[in-house]
Amino acid sequence: MNVNAKNDCAKALSSVLADTYVLYLKTHNFHWNVEGPNFRPLHLMFEEQYQDLWASLDVIAERIRALGAYAPGTYAKFAALATIKENQDIPKANGMLSELAKDNESIIATLVEAIQVAQNAGDEPSAGLLIDRQTVHEKAAWMMRSMLV
């Protein structure tokens, strides 16, 4: 893989890393602050999701480094790269579910674009990592949408 292709892959992975970090932070915040009759299942589901997100951050960042680029690692860089936005408010439980479902759909879009970049570059390790993350986010979005019915 040539240098330009590596840089393109690292840039796409950096966007995924930023979305993942913002989603991690939001999910952890909602885990801490969820209330209502579905407190326990939501509290546990959000915990499972933020732990998975946290673990994935290192894998994504290390792939960026393996491509020879520096991984973004500041709030300012994450905010600039992320499509997912922070929420300064604490929504009601269903609002949390709705927002996180939409955020998971947003990160899926970021992942689909990054997968295309990686596949076009012949970067199968990055493509595989990204496809695995897409599967996780598709399941999370489906579960949350199902809980809102």
Side-chain angles (χ1 to χ4, degrees):
M1 186 170 24
N2 69 41
V3 172
N4 289 337
K6 284 184 179 184
N7 289 339
D8 290 344
C9 289
K11 183 177 177 185
L13 283 160
S14 293
S15 294
V16 171
L17 183 66
D19 271 351
T20 302
Y21 195 89
V22 174
L23 183 57
Y24 157 77
L25 191 60
K26 185 184 286 189
T27 304
H28 208 154
N29 178 32
F30 288 175
H31 162 80
W32 287 330
N33 293 299
V34 69
E35 296 176 315
N38 291 321
F39 167 79
R40 183 150 177 79
L42 291 177
H43 186 73
L44 294 173
M45 182 177 73
F46 295 161
E47 180 176 15
E48 180 182 297
Q49 290 174 355
Y50 81 69
Q51 287 177 346
D52 172 75
L53 290 162
W54 181 256
S56 73
L57 290 168
D58 204 46
V59 174
I60 298 164
E62 287 177 354
R63 183 65 197 151
I64 294 166
R65 293 297 295 135
L67 291 168
Y70 290 109
T74 66
Y75 290 116
K77 287 181 183 176
F78 288 147
L81 291 168
T83 61
I84 297 171
K85 301 304 175 199
E86 291 183 314
N87 183 345
Q88 300 300 319
D89 300 320
I90 303 297
K92 299 290 185 195
N94 277 356
M96 290 177 178
L97 277 171
S98 179
E99 188 169 336
L100 291 176
K102 289 176 187 167
D103 289 342
N104 273 277
E105 290 165 0
S106 180
I107 200 171
I108 291 165
T110 302
L111 284 158
V112 167
E113 290 177 19
I115 290 164
Q116 190 65 50
V117 170
Q119 288 175 335
N120 288 345
D123 183 0
E124 293 307 314
S126 293
L129 181 158
L130 295 164
I131 290 167
D132 289 347
R133 294 308 307 159
Q134 180 182 355
T135 303
V136 168
H137 292 288
E138 286 176 350
K139 182 177 179 181
W142 158 64
M143 288 185 165
M144 287 183 267
R145 285 190 311 266
S146 295
M147 290 182 78
L148 288 166
V149 175

